[in-house]
Amino acid sequence: MANIISDETIEYVGILAKLELSQEEKEAAKSDMERMLDYIDTLNELDTAGVEPMSHVFPVHNVFREDVVTNGDGSEETLKNAPLRKEQSFKVPKTIG
């Protein structure tokens, strides 16, 4: 399973991630990536025939309630406080010249 990550790959990943890595950090990252790839290889060896794909570990059901207006939007009450009003909106001074 020995996945080998080259120095060039680590440099490229560092550039993409906008990271400046010391030599020790590069070696640690190489080791981590190699272990991750080895683990993925191990997972790929598992027999998943007959296993249904899932998007979540637990069954997920729609938990949203029906969207029903119960008290209105209060816009008339709100617009009563407006010093200036244009139709159903606040009227404000022009701010861009």
Side-chain angles (χ1 to χ4, degrees):
M1 282 198 213
N3 287 292
I4 307 295
I5 304 291
S6 68
D7 291 336
E8 292 80 22
T9 301
I10 291 296
E11 286 288 331
Y12 184 64
V13 170
I15 291 169
L16 290 176
K18 299 187 184 315
L19 296 174
E20 292 183 23
L21 301 173
S22 67
Q23 194 57 38
E24 296 81 26
E25 291 169 325
K26 289 178 186 176
E27 290 302 318
K30 269 175 60 170
S31 173
D32 289 345
M33 284 183 179
E34 289 168 355
R35 285 188 332 201
M36 283 187 264
L37 291 174
D38 286 342
Y39 185 69
I40 291 169
D41 286 344
T42 303
L43 291 176
N44 285 333
E45 292 173 6
L46 295 173
D47 179 19
T48 57
V51 177
E52 187 177 331
M54 64 174 83
S55 62
H56 200 279
V57 178
F58 301 106
V60 177
H61 304 287
N62 187 354
V63 294
F64 299 113
R65 64 172 168 72
E66 201 56 40
D67 190 14
V68 178
V69 177
T70 57
N71 61 351
D73 63 1
S75 61
E76 277 304 316
E77 285 296 313
T78 303
L79 286 170
K80 285 181 183 177
N81 296 314
L84 296 173
R85 183 175 169 175
K86 182 177 182 181
E87 297 172 7
Q88 294 299 94
S89 303
F90 284 93
K91 186 173 180 181
V92 296
K94 185 175 180 180
T95 57
I96 299 176

